[in-house]
Amino acid sequence: MTYRAPVRDMAFILNDVAGLSELAGKGDFAELSPDLVEAVLEEGAKLAGDVLAPLNRSGDEEGARLEKGEGVKTPKGFAEAYKKWVEGGWGSLAATPDYGGQGLPGALAVAMQEMWNASNLSFGLCPILSQGAIEALTAHGAPELREKYLPHLISGQWTGTMNLTEPQAGSDLNALKAKAVPQEDGSYLVTGTKIFITYGDHDMAENIVHLVLARLPDAPAGTKGISLFLVPKFLLKEDGSLGERNDAYCIGLEEKLGIHGSPTCVMSFGENGGARGWLIGEENKGLACMFTMMNNARLLVGTQGVAIAEAAYQHALAYAQDRKQGRPPKGVPGAENVPADEMAPIIMLPDVRRMLMSMKSLTEACRSICYATGVALDHAHHGGNDEEKAKGRARADLLTPIAKAFSTDAAVEVASTGIQIHGGMGFVEETGAAQFYRDARILPIYEGTNGIQAIDLVGRKLPLGNGEVVKDFIAEMRETAEEARKSNRPDLSGMGEGLEEGIAVLEEATAYMAEKLKAAPPDALAGATPYLRLFGLVAGGHFLTRGALKAAALPEGDSFAKSRLATGAFYAGSILSGAAGLKGAVMGGAAPLYTLDADALAG
C-alpha cells in the first residue's frame, strides 16, 4: 500500500488554523518556527511513506503471533522499522529535555502520530501507548522512577502499555480485581489478569513498562480504591541495566477484526507468585493518574481516526483515477475529451466526486479539531502566564471528547465510503480497501467508547466554568462565521452563512442539554451522542472556514488555496448542512427509548 503524508495540509492546519504559530518563538518554544515545523513533517513523511507503509498490507496478512517459550513476535519488518523509528528520535519529539526529550510542541507530535498511523495503524499503536506512559510517569511518578524509566521510554528503547481492562471489568472499573500487596522494600507484588492490552508483549524493544491498575489489600471499594503501578517486563539492576524477568507474561492473543499486526494481549501478572511493581502517585489515587494517560490516548486515538481517513481517501482517490467504467454524463468537465469508443475513469462521475469530496472534507475537519486540541494542550503546558495556561486546559478539556469520538466515527464512515468507491472490488481483500474499514472499526471503541465520550462532553465538559468554556468557543466560532459572511467572496460568504446556521442549532441544543442535565438527566444522556456529532460538525465547519479565510489571502491561482476554498465550501453545503437534522435526535428525550420493554424489543 502506498501513502504520502499531506505535509502542506498538515503544516497549514498546525500553524495557521490550529494556531501553533502563536507559540512559535516564545518561552519554551523560542527556537520554533513554521519552517522548522514543516521540515520535521517532511522528514517524518519519508519514514512513514518509505518504511512503514510498505509493511501495512503484509503485516495485516501475517499478523502478530504468540510463540511458546519465546513470547510475541510481530510481523516481518516491524522490529527493523521500529529500530529506524527510534534512531530518528521520533519518540523524544515532545518529551521534556530533562530526560532526553527534544521539547517540541505536543501538537507537532500529534501530527507525527497521524503519519505513523496512516501509513501503518498496527505499527503506530505502539508509540501511542508509550506516549501515554511517558505522560503519566512524568506527571505522577516519583523522582527515582522517572530517572530510571523515562530516558528509555522517551528514546523508544523501551515501550509502555496501559493495563485497565479485566474479563469482568470493562468500562466499569468498579469491578476491577487485580491485587497489589506491599513489600518491605517498598515494592508491591501485583497479581491479576488483564485483557485487550495493546503491545503487552512484542519483540521490537528490549523492555516493556506496564502501567497497571490494581487494588491494595485494605483499599476501599469502587474506583476510590484503585492504585496505579509500574510493572516492568524485566526488572532493573542497581546500575539501571536489565536484570531478571518479571512475573508478567502474555498468555494469549486476541483474534481481531482488524489491526492484525498489532498484538492485543491477555496479560497474566503474578502467575508464579507475583509481578514486582512500584506505586505511581498516591495509594488509592490511581484512576486520577491513569486519566493523565487516558486523556492523552483519547486525543491520539482521535488522530488515528484522521490517519485512517486520510489513508482510505488516498487509496480511493488513486482507484477512482485509474478505474475506467462507463461513459461520463454530458456536461461533466472533460467529458468531451473521452474518445467515443473508450470508457472514462470513474472519478469523472458526479456521485464518485461527491463521495471523494465527502471523504476529503471530513478528514480535514477532523484533522483540524485534533490539531487544535493539541495546540490547546501546548498552551496549557507552555502558556506565558497562568491565565493562558488555564484557558488552554479548559479548551483542551472541551475538545478532547469531540476529537476522539467525532474523528473516529468519521474514520469508519470515510473508510466505508472508500469501499463503496471501489465497488465490488472494495468488498474483497485484494484491493486493500477493506483493511482500512476493519482497522478503523476499533477506534470508536478504544479508550472509552464514543458513547462514554458523549456522556463526558455533556456531563463534565459543558458545565466547565459554569458553562463559560463552551460559550467562549461558540463565540469564537461565531466570529469566524461573521468574518466569512462579510467577505466579498461568494464562496466564503456561503461558508459563513452555513456556519452561522450550524452555530444556531448548536446553541439551542447546548441550552437544552444544560437544562436537562439538571432537571432530567436521562433526557440529556439520551441525546448525548447526536449532540457530540452536532458539536463536531459545527467545530469542523469553524476550522475549515478559518482555513479558507487564511487560504484566500494566498496569491491568486495558488492550487493549494483553491483546494482549501473548495473543500470548505463543499463541507459547508453538504456536510455541515446536516447539523439541523440532528436537532430532533438531540432533543427527543429518553421516553422514546423506553417505550418498548425488553420482551417487546425481542418480539
Side-chain angles (χ1 to χ4, degrees):
M1 291 181 174
T2 58
Y3 163 76
R4 286 289 174 249
V7 169
R8 190 172 182 189
D9 268 324
M10 298 170 83
F12 176 79
I13 292 173
L14 272 176
N15 290 318
D16 298 310
V17 178
L20 183 59
S21 58
E22 297 170 11
L23 287 166
K26 301 175 185 176
D28 294 336
F29 303 134
E31 303 301 318
L32 184 69
S33 68
D35 287 343
L36 176 59
V37 169
E38 190 155 356
V40 172
L41 292 172
E42 289 281 7
E43 196 61 30
K46 297 175 185 175
L47 179 67
D50 299 339
V51 177
L52 302 182
L55 299 174
N56 191 35
R57 182 69 179 275
S58 61
D60 178 66
E61 293 174 339
E62 179 183 346
R65 61 195 186 278
L66 176 59
E67 297 189 353
K68 188 175 182 179
E70 296 186 34
V72 174
K73 303 295 182 182
T74 52
K76 183 179 179 181
F78 271 45
E80 292 78 10
Y82 185 76
K83 182 179 179 181
K84 292 181 180 178
W85 186 86
V86 171
E87 289 171 349
W90 295 111
S92 67
L93 204 67
T96 172
D98 294 342
Y99 297 99
Q102 299 178 50
L104 288 169
L108 180 55
V110 168
M112 301 314 302
Q113 289 287 0
E114 181 191 332
M115 287 190 192
W116 316 140
N117 287 278
S119 58
N120 191 327
L121 183 64
S122 288
F123 178 94
L125 276 161
C126 185
I128 280 182
L129 271 298
S130 295
Q131 183 61 44
I134 291 167
E135 291 277 342
L137 194 53
T138 300
H140 305 288
E144 58 269 23
L145 285 182
R146 294 200 301 266
E147 290 168 7
K148 285 182 178 180
Y149 290 93
L150 275 178
H152 299 286
L153 282 168
I154 287 171
S155 71
Q157 186 179 357
W158 301 348
T159 65
T161 71
M162 179 165 56
N163 290 251
L164 287 79
T165 307
E166 299 178 6
Q168 78 294 337
S171 298
D172 183 6
L173 294 176
N174 286 293
L176 188 145
K177 293 181 178 179
K179 299 293 184 182
V181 179
Q183 305 298 297
E184 291 183 0
D185 63 358
S187 66
Y188 296 76
L189 284 184
V190 178
T191 56
T193 300
K194 299 288 184 177
I195 62 172
F196 302 153
I197 308 307
T198 302
Y199 276 91
D201 191 43
H202 59 85
D203 57 357
M204 297 187 340
E206 63 181 24
N207 201 9
I208 302 172
V209 181
H210 302 289
L211 269 58
V212 184
L213 288 181
R215 295 185 185 279
L216 296 169
D218 58 351
T223 56
K224 293 181 180 179
I226 296 174
S227 300
L228 180 63
F229 300 89
L230 184 154
V231 182
K233 178 178 179 179
F234 287 98
L235 299 171
L236 304 187
K237 298 177 181 178
E238 287 297 323
D239 62 0
S241 62
L242 298 184
E244 64 181 287
R245 184 73 157 81
N246 204 1
D247 191 7
Y249 291 92
C250 171
I251 58 173
L253 289 182
E254 306 291 356
E255 294 288 338
K256 308 185 297 291
L257 175 68
I259 54 169
H260 295 149
S262 169
T264 303
C265 301
V266 179
M267 295 296 300
S268 173
F269 295 92
E271 195 173 60
N272 302 308
R276 195 167 295 275
W278 287 264
L279 182 70
I280 295 177
E282 299 179 39
E283 293 185 353
N284 303 322
K285 298 290 180 66
L287 202 57
C289 299
M290 185 61 84
F291 263 111
T292 298
M293 189 175 188
M294 287 185 68
N295 281 330
N296 176 275
R298 284 172 176 175
L299 170 56
L300 295 182
V301 171
T303 305
Q304 287 183 303
V306 178
I308 283 292
E310 175 64 39
Y313 168 69
Q314 289 190 20
H315 202 72
L317 175 62
Y319 184 83
Q321 290 171 323
D322 184 65
R323 171 66 168 166
K324 291 184 177 182
Q325 188 75 31
R327 299 283 304 166
K330 290 181 180 180
V332 167
E336 68 279 2
N337 299 323
V338 179
D341 59 345
E342 292 185 14
M343 293 187 291
I346 63 172
I347 196 171
M348 298 184 71
L349 301 176
D351 192 55
V352 173
R353 285 293 182 112
R354 177 192 59 79
M355 289 189 283
L356 287 169
M357 286 299 293
S358 297
M359 296 172 79
K360 178 178 176 62
S361 61
L362 263 176
T363 300
E364 293 189 4
C366 294
R367 178 179 290 125
S368 299
I369 293 170
C370 288
Y371 288 11
T373 307
V375 169
L377 285 169
D378 281 323
H379 279 286
H381 294 306
H382 305 281
N385 54 53
D386 290 343
E387 181 181 359
E388 184 180 345
K389 290 179 179 179
K391 287 183 68 176
R393 169 53 60 189
R395 176 62 60 85
D397 286 345
L398 175 65
L399 290 182
T400 293
I402 301 166
K404 194 278 178 182
F406 182 70
S407 299
T408 54
D409 282 342
V412 175
E413 181 180 336
V414 168
S416 179
T417 302
I419 291 176
Q420 189 72 19
I421 288 173
H422 282 74
M425 292 302 296
F427 199 66
V428 297
E429 293 290 348
E430 181 181 334
T431 60
Q435 185 188 339
F436 297 120
Y437 187 82
R438 290 189 287 100
D439 285 355
R441 195 57 193 85
I442 186 58
L443 302 180
I445 299 171
Y446 263 156
E447 306 310 333
T449 64
N450 285 357
I452 289 174
Q453 303 306 311
I455 293 169
D456 177 53
L457 174 64
V458 170
R460 295 189 180 96
K461 304 307 169 57
L462 294 191
L464 285 173
N466 293 318
E468 291 303 313
V469 174
V470 68
K471 287 180 182 177
D472 286 347
F473 186 51
I474 289 176
E476 181 183 302
M477 292 194 289
R478 193 172 288 285
E479 288 176 6
T480 299
E482 185 175 1
E483 183 182 353
R485 185 175 55 79
K486 290 183 176 179
S487 73
N488 294 321
R489 297 181 54 126
D491 50 358
L492 285 174
S493 60
M495 288 181 225
E497 290 168 5
L499 182 54
E500 284 185 337
E501 292 171 5
I503 291 170
V505 178
L506 179 61
E507 284 187 312
E508 186 177 354
T510 300
Y512 170 88
M513 283 293 172
E515 176 193 349
K516 294 298 182 181
L517 198 59
K518 296 177 181 178
D523 288 342
L525 296 178
T529 289
Y531 175 78
L532 187 147
R533 170 78 175 181
L534 169 62
F535 210 131
L537 285 175
V538 177
H542 158 62
F543 289 119
L544 285 181
T545 302
R546 178 187 284 182
L549 287 164
K550 296 279 188 179
L554 295 173
E556 188 175 349
D558 186 292
S559 61
F560 177 78
K562 181 180 179 181
S563 175
R564 298 296 313 182
L565 287 158
T567 302
F570 178 87
Y571 185 92
S574 297
I575 306 295
L576 180 55
S577 57
L582 290 167
K583 179 179 173 180
V586 173
M587 301 172 66
L593 307 181
Y594 296 92
T595 301
L596 299 180
D597 60 21
D599 290 337
L601 281 170

